[in-house]
Amino acid sequence: MRTSFYIKTFGCQMNERDSEIMAQLLIQHGYAAMAAEEADLIILNTCSIRAKAEQKFFSLLGSLRQEKRRRPGLRIVAAGCVAQQEGEHIFERMPHVDVVIGTQQFWRLPELLQRLERGESKREIACGLDKAFVIPPFQKLLHDAPPQPSEFRKFVTIMQGCDNYCAYCVVPSTRGREISRPVADILEEVQLLVSRGVKEITLLGQNVNSYGTTNPVAERPVSFAELLQRTAAIPGLRRLRFTTSNPQDLSTELMRCFRDLPNLCPHFHLPVQAGSNAVLKRMNRKYSRELYLDKVAELRSFRPDITLSTDVIVGFPGETEDDFEQTMSLLETVRFHGSFSFKYSDRPGTRSLHFPDKVDEQTKGARLERFQARQDEISLERNREFLGRSVEVMVEGRSESGLQGRTGSNHIVHFAGPDSLQPGDLLMVTINHAGQHSLQGSMAD
Ligand code: 5AD
Ligand code: SF4
């Protein structure tokens, strides 16, 4: 009987959260978490969003072949988005894998492992995606788990999947159709976490703005803004965040929450992807540059100090120099506090895979470099706006140089403080130095 496991997570917060659930399930079935070298079960929870993420997984999986030769009792599980996408093909490419388990099936992991242990099969695969899937009540699992004293912030899944079908994106095929989690389950989970000392919650979904509108499982559909209001009202919750949003679904009701809910952090991640309407159209994004800018202006009218971050893809098929200039000019107009930017990569099962006029690697590289260089300058200028200001910081941990914390606006702050300060504590820090990626300060009087 195998008793120890190690999980390596690739990709997004959604995957981190899924890994956490798998770990909890395994612990309840008698397994213990262990370092990779000692664990007799290794789970790779994979990401497929860009070609690079997938390559990382296959190269790690390749290196585990040796490890399995050395330790024949080792079991290897491929979970997550690449597992969902590749299914049986993973066994063909990597015969040393024992279990392939998809994004809606991972809660069945203990059952599949038991079948292997009992010798009922040599390999297991579970990759079904069902549009009528009901997200299991994970809060029940949490209930049975011992409280973790060090945990001060947690992710809570509110929906799974995506119905947007952006031309470049694997998510609709790797995570299925959009499914909202029942509101009662979400609130119960947040309440439980807060009662255990968690101070910050991030509500997670691929498209949180459309919470409750697709496949609503509540008796009465609840909008995302209402869900935010009800979550924010849970006593003891100090900070509330959410990710990710789509501009076209961003309602005034939701924007108003940034004015009205004091514990809703003033940071908004609003992926724009491109500044040119022609590119946005080919990407099947359902908004224009103008609509995006209007949403930003409206958001700022409710919360002038809100910080904005975004995602950008450069070199989408057919992107001309002029299209790219429009992405640069959008960056100048919005002056994002930060952004995640990527070179377009072809993904299996997406529409853009078959688009003509692919942009060459060199051009993509040059555009990415230009975008990132300008973003870095703007981030520094934006960070300098904090100089001399006192901001509320939540302690996250300690580094060699002192304490590290985060502002509600999502800026990392380094500062000196007493040993008595613990992760999750809140205090005021006066900012006296601004770098490109973080701020420095000292405890305010
Ligand atoms: N190529 C490059 N970047 C991509 N993203 C999603 N799909 C692709 C792709 N095929 C980026 C988008 C998305 C972020 C999570 O990853 O910017 O918002
Ligand atoms: Fe990667 Fe997207 Fe899957 Fe998250 S949902 S793991 S970002 S492919």
Side-chain angles (χ1 to χ4, degrees), residues 12 48-51 167-171 244 269 271 273 285 310-314 340-347 350 352:
C12 63
S48 164
I49 195 83
R50 289 170 293 275
Y168 50 80
C169 190
V170 288
V171 172
T244 287
H269 184 67
Q273 312 296 2
R285 299 289 286 176
T310 199
D311 289 348
V312 162
I313 297 175
V314 301
F340 300 94
S341 48
F342 313 98
K343 287 192 276 187
Y344 167 79
S345 63
D346 275 336
R347 304 306 299 128
T350 61
S352 58

Side-chain angles (χ1 to χ4, degrees), residues 10-15 46-49 81 170-171 174-175 206:
F10 300 80
C12 63
Q13 291 151 336
M14 195 74 71
N15 257 22
T46 62
C47 172
S48 164
I49 195 83
C81 290
V170 288
V171 172
T174 60
R175 292 213 171 242
Q206 249 88 26

Side-chain angles (χ1 to χ4, degrees), residues 262-273:
N263 51 358
L264 181 63
C265 291
H267 168 233
F268 206 107
H269 184 67
L270 192 59
V272 67
Q273 312 296 2

